[in-house]
C-alpha cells in the first residue's frame, strides 16, 4: 500500500511515472495545505484554488526537489508563495479572514457529550478564532510552528526569511495571539458572570 511509504519514496515513484504515488502525497498533505491556504484566502473557494494550484506547481517542479529539507517544508513554501501571488493578483484585503472553521478537525470516536471532548473543542474554537484575527504572516507562522510542527529553520525556508527573523516574528505573533485570546475570553468570562 502506497500510504505506508515515505514522502521520498512516493516522490521517487512519481518521478518514475507512477501517478498514484503522487495522489498519495496529495492525500497526505492536502488538509494542511488547505489550512494554510485558508489563512490567506478570503473564502473557501479561493483557498481550494490556491491549494490546487500548489499541488499542480509541486507536481511540475517535483524533479527539482533535492531533498535538502522535508517534502512538507518544500511544499509549504510553494503554498506560501502561491498564496502571496494570489493575493497580489486578487488584491484581497488580507486583514480579514473568512469566518469558516480554518482547521480541519479529526472527528473523535468518543461520544459528542464527553466532557473532555467538549472542552477540547471549545479550546480549539477560541484558539482558531483568535488565529483568524491575526495578520496572515502571524497566522502562518503560528500555524506552521504549532499545527504543522515545523522547526524554525523549516519555517524560515518556507517563508524565505532568516531563522532569527522567524524567532522574532514567532515571538511577536505569540504576543498578538495572547492579546486576541485575552480579549476574546474576557468577553466570554463576562458573559458567564
Amino acid at each position: 500500500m502506497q500510504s505506508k511509504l515515505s514522502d521520498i519514496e512516493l516522490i521517487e515513484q512519481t518521478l518514475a511515472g507512477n501517478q498514484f504515488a503522487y495522489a498519495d502525497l496529495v492525500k497526505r498533505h492536502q488538509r494542511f495545505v488547505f489550512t494554510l491556504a485558508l489563512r490567506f484566502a478570503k473564502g473557501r473557494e479561493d483557498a481550494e484554488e490556491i491549494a490546487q494550484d500548489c499541488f499542480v506547481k509541486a507536481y511540475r517542479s517535483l524533479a527539482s526537489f533535492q531533498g535538502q529539507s522535508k517534502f512538507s517544508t518544500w511544499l509549504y513554501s510553494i503554498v506560501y508563495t502561491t498564496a502571496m501571488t494570489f493575493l497580489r493578483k486578487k488584491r484581497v484585503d488580507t486583514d480579514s479572514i473568512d469566518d469558516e472553521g480554518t482547521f480541519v478537525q479529526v472527528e473523535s470516536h468518543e461520544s459528542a457529550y464527553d466532557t473532555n471532548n467538549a472542552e477540547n473543542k471549545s479550546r480549539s474554537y477560541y484558539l482558531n478564532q483568535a488565529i483568524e484575527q491575526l495578520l496572515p504572516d502571524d497566522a502562518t507562522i503560528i500555524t506552521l510552528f504549532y499545527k504543522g510542527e515545523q522547526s524554525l529553520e523549516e519555517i524560515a525556508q518556507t517563508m524565505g526569511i532568516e531563522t532569527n527573523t522567524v524567532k522574532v516574528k514567532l515571538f511577536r505573533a505569540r504576543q498578538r495571539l495572547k492579546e486576541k485570546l485575552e480579549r476574546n475570553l474576557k468577553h466570554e468570562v463576562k458573559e458567564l458572570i
Side-chain angles (χ1 to χ4, degrees):
M1 183 175 199
Q2 300 280 350
S3 61
K4 303 260 184 208
L5 300 175
S6 71
D7 286 350
I8 299 298
E9 291 169 322
L10 290 172
I11 290 167
E12 289 170 355
Q13 287 190 9
T14 301
L15 292 174
N18 181 352
Q19 293 181 355
F20 294 109
Y22 191 70
D24 284 343
L25 273 174
V26 170
K27 286 177 192 171
R28 187 174 289 173
H29 297 281
Q30 68 185 359
R31 285 185 177 171
F32 197 70
V33 166
F34 177 75
T35 298
L36 284 177
L38 194 55
R39 289 281 176 224
F40 293 99
K42 198 165 189 166
R44 186 173 192 84
E45 294 80 21
D46 289 343
E48 288 171 354
E49 184 178 334
I50 291 169
Q52 184 176 4
D53 287 348
C54 291
F55 284 115
V56 170
K57 287 178 183 180
Y59 182 78
R60 289 181 180 157
S61 302
L62 204 55
S64 68
F65 175 68
Q66 298 173 358
Q68 294 174 345
S69 63
K70 293 192 296 190
F71 173 74
S72 60
T73 302
W74 181 76
L75 180 62
Y76 301 155
S77 67
I78 293 173
V79 175
Y80 182 77
T81 56
T82 302
M84 289 310 201
T85 302
F86 180 85
L87 290 175
R88 275 187 229 111
K89 285 182 183 176
K90 289 275 189 170
R91 298 176 198 248
V92 174
D93 177 18
T94 58
D95 289 339
S96 65
I97 302 293
D98 196 51
D99 280 342
E100 293 182 49
T102 306
F103 289 110
V104 177
Q105 296 181 359
V106 178
E107 290 294 322
S108 174
H109 294 293
E110 299 174 18
S111 167
Y113 299 105
D114 184 5
T115 306
N116 289 334
N117 191 22
E119 285 178 17
N120 287 339
K121 284 184 179 182
S122 179
R123 286 183 191 140
S124 292
Y125 170 78
Y126 288 117
L127 184 59
N128 288 333
Q129 186 181 36
I131 291 172
E132 287 173 6
Q133 296 170 3
L134 295 172
L135 294 174
D137 270 356
D138 289 347
T140 299
I141 287 177
I142 294 287
T143 302
L144 288 172
F145 190 76
Y146 291 105
K147 298 285 185 173
E149 299 178 357
Q150 298 281 302
S151 69
L152 295 174
E153 293 78 18
E154 291 169 330
I155 295 170
Q157 190 174 9
T158 296
M159 297 181 76
I161 56 179
E162 295 294 320
T163 304
N164 286 336
T165 305
V166 172
K167 287 180 188 176
V168 171
K169 285 181 172 266
L170 181 60
F171 176 78
R172 291 178 181 161
R174 284 179 184 145
Q175 286 181 319
R176 287 189 274 273
L177 180 61
K178 179 183 173 196
E179 291 169 6
K180 303 282 185 197
L181 283 169
E182 286 173 345
R183 189 175 324 126
N184 293 348
L185 293 176
K186 182 179 177 182
H187 176 69
E188 295 299 317
V189 170
K190 283 183 181 178
E191 284 182 10
L192 292 174
I193 297 174

